[in-house]
Structures are given as structure tokens and as C-alpha cells.
Amino acid sequence: MSPGGGSGGKREPSFHQLRLFLVLAQELHFGRAAARVYVTQPAFSQQIRSLEQRLGVVLVERGGGNVRLTAVGQSIAEEAGAVVDAMARLRQAADRHAGAARGLLRIGSLGAEAAMPYAQAILSHLRGKHPDLEIEVRNLTFVDMFGTLLTGEVDAAFLRGPLPGGIQSLQLSTESRVVCLSDDDPLADRDTLTLGDLADRTVVDMPPEVPRSWWNHLTVNPRPDGTRVRFGPVVRDTEAMVLAVTQGRAITFLPSAARRLYPRAGLTYVDCPELGLSTAELAWLAAHRNTPAVSALREAARRTLRQSGSTALDSPSEG
């Protein structure tokens, strides 16, 4: 019997599922395919099984991490590629005729990034300039902050660098970073700290779906003397992160704005110049940069930065 259990239970496949299937057809490995779009392997596998159920056919032969397309899967991959290409052409044609930005713009926000003054100024300018554009802001976790962009679930996002390849961005602001400690930590009463002071402290960790290079950069791992950071509890979002610190389970590093955005009883923020700067960025996929909605957002960001006298417009990743 086919996975769909009969034609009566079939539904149309989603565009998102077709895109994921094309990634799997290229990688032929669930783990690599899931990592490429920054989703968990179980979630990725579930989407492929759902696609099979909707189509009523078996697309892949499973055996360990490696997979092989069935004959039907190979045929469906060709058709799925044609659908994705046609959808891209359809969007481009609609965008050309629409002219003005309208419809829905989905913007992701890592934690409280969309609440920052520069983000609020950009969104205010965008709403004033394009009243027919519906703006939806979606909260992102560490796990899905990059994947939602790469799969098209959001059109743009307010994130913190460094960003992975394939994502363009406009630098919005830079600020110092601070150490986040529990109040009862012996170092909590210091005015400033060095990385050497923190050598024996456990640092919160990220889930495996988060690019390791991103978290190593932000935790300065390894340290300048070559020692490795000792990681502890795994967290998925900023609220869980500060909770772990408040409970005394670990320390972490955050942009200095965290003092205002995440004040908590039992929590202390201490300056640490050796941590360097944190960069706030507006990010989008290169393939989407010239769609009316994303183009309008980028222009609103550039105008807002010019009005504030920011020099962040020269970010090389803006493309």
C-alpha cells in the first residue's frame, strides 16, 4: 500500500516540502540535507514523509543516514524542480507588475532584536512609506534563525552576526558585549572582567542545529591562549539562556543592550572589553533582495541609517 493509504487521503504537497525534497535529492543524506537548511533531522524527515503521504508514493529508500531516490523519486525531483522554477518566475512577474510593495512581508527577529530602536525606526518608516504592505514579525530562536531565511519561511530577519554563507545583510548597529553572571558569582561585583577571569566558568551551549562557527565566534572559543571553552546547558532561546545563568548553571555573553532588554532578579551584567563588538544586521537571501517587499525594507533601512548619521551602510555583505 502506498504511504498515503489511498487516493482519498491525498493532499497537495506544499511548496516548502518540494524545496526540502530537492535539497535531499542533491545531498542524498538526511543529516546533511537538514543541516543545509538549518532544521533538525527529525523535522526534516517528517516533512519528507508527509510529502510522500500527500503524493501517495515512496520517494526515497531509507537505510541509515544515506538515502537513495526511488525511480518515482527521481521523476518527482525533476517535476519538483520545474515547479520551484515556475514559482520563482511567477513571483518575479507579479513583482514587476505590482510595482509598489504590497502583500505580506514576513520578518524574523532573533529574540528582542525587532524591539531595538533602529529596528523600530526601520519598521515605522516602512509602514509610513508602504501602507498597503502587511508586515508580520515572527520571533525566532537560535535553532531556526537562519533556517527560516533559507527555506523562505521569512523574507528577511533582524539577526546578530556573523551570518552563514548565502545570506546577504545590512549592518545596522554595533555595540559592546557583556558577561552575564548570576548575582552570587564571586565575579559579579567586578566592574570589568577579562577572558582569563572566566577561564574556569561553564558557558551555555547551543543545540546541534546552530552553526558551530557562529557560537564559537561569540564565545571566543578557543580563547587567545588556545584553551577550549567548557560548555554546559543547552538553550534554544535567550529567555532560556538568561534563566540558566540566573540558576547559576552557567554564564553567557550578550550584547550590552541585554541590560535593558533582559533585566532579571539574580542576574548581573559585567563589561568585558576582550569580547569585542556585537553586530546587529538586517538579513535576506540574495535571491529575494529585489522583490518589491524586501527591496522596500532594504530602502527603509538605508534611509533610516542615513537619517541617524550611521556609517554602517558600508557593510560589505550587503551586496
Side-chain angles (χ1 to χ4, degrees), residues 3 41 147 318:
Q41 183 171 331
E318 199 271 343

Side-chain angles (χ1 to χ4, degrees), residues 133-217:
L133 180 63
E134 181 184 353
I135 302 171
E136 175 185 290
V137 178
R138 170 180 171 181
N139 186 61
L140 304 178
T141 68
F142 298 126
V143 172
D144 61 11
M145 59 181 172
F146 299 134
T148 50
L149 265 180
L150 295 171
T151 60
E153 294 176 61
V154 298
D155 304 297
F158 293 110
L159 301 174
R160 291 279 168 166
L163 304 181
I167 296 177
Q168 294 184 340
S169 69
L170 181 65
Q171 180 178 302
L172 302 177
S173 178
T174 58
E175 62 186 296
S176 61
R177 295 201 293 143
V178 294
V179 184
C180 184
L181 304 149
S182 64
D183 276 351
D184 58 3
D185 191 297
L187 299 176
D189 60 355
R190 299 273 292 273
D191 292 328
T192 61
L193 292 169
T194 67
L195 291 175
D197 296 329
L198 304 168
D200 63 345
R201 295 299 192 275
T202 299
V203 179
V204 296
D205 203 1
M206 293 286 114
E209 299 85 1
V210 177
R212 198 69 223 172
S213 58
W214 183 80
W215 193 229
N216 281 339
H217 175 86

